[in-house]
Amino acid sequence: ARARARAPSRIILVFLRDKMLMGEEEGARVMVGEVFVAVSQDDASAMVAAQTAELTAQQKDMQGQLEKMEAELQDLKAQLYAKFGKSINLESE
């Protein structure tokens, strides 16, 4: 769920980067905490690139955690089926 929640943030950052590359903005306002600060386009581009890289790294980390949990779940299911056989149903409907 968290990985999915971060996807819109990444989409917004890509949109802002593309908008800046097209030259539609001479400067930019960046939200720092609860206020907007005027920065140059170069600084804004650097900030967008850094945030995009950070979100990408977080997404990869979360994906790795998810895969690890899914593998552990499959292992636990196999153990339970080995112990209880067909008398249990662990599959989601």
Side-chain angles (χ1 to χ4, degrees), residues 73-89:
L73 178 64
Q74 292 303 317
D75 182 50
L76 291 171
K77 282 182 178 182
Q79 290 175 23
L80 288 169
Y81 278 125
K83 184 172 184 174
F84 297 107
K86 294 184 178 183
S87 63
I88 61 171
N89 181 12

Side-chain angles (χ1 to χ4, degrees), residues 3 14 19 29 34 36 38 41 45-47 54 75 83 87:
V14 169
K19 187 174 179 181
R29 295 183 191 270
E34 295 183 8
F36 285 94
Q41 187 169 350
S45 294
M47 293 172 100
E54 181 181 338
D75 182 50
K83 184 172 184 174
S87 63

Side-chain angles (χ1 to χ4, degrees), residues 4-30:
R4 288 186 201 137
R6 296 199 186 277
S9 297
R10 190 164 178 225
I11 291 169
I12 291 169
L13 289 173
V14 169
F15 171 77
L16 291 174
R17 181 198 65 205
D18 292 347
K19 187 174 179 181
M20 285 188 290
L21 290 175
M22 288 189 287
E24 292 180 17
E25 302 277 334
E26 288 186 18
R29 295 183 191 270
V30 177

Side-chain angles (χ1 to χ4, degrees), residues 26-80:
E26 288 186 18
R29 295 183 191 270
V30 177
M31 187 172 210
V32 178
E34 295 183 8
V35 297
F36 285 94
V37 178
V39 295
S40 70
Q41 187 169 350
D42 292 337
D43 290 341
S45 294
M47 293 172 100
V48 167
Q51 288 179 354
T52 301
E54 181 181 338
L55 285 173
T56 301
Q58 287 176 357
Q59 186 177 21
K60 285 181 182 179
D61 182 49
M62 288 179 168
Q63 185 65 33
Q65 290 175 10
L66 177 63
E67 289 170 1
K68 182 180 175 184
M69 288 179 196
E70 287 174 342
E72 185 177 349
L73 178 64
Q74 292 303 317
D75 182 50
L76 291 171
K77 282 182 178 182
Q79 290 175 23
L80 288 169

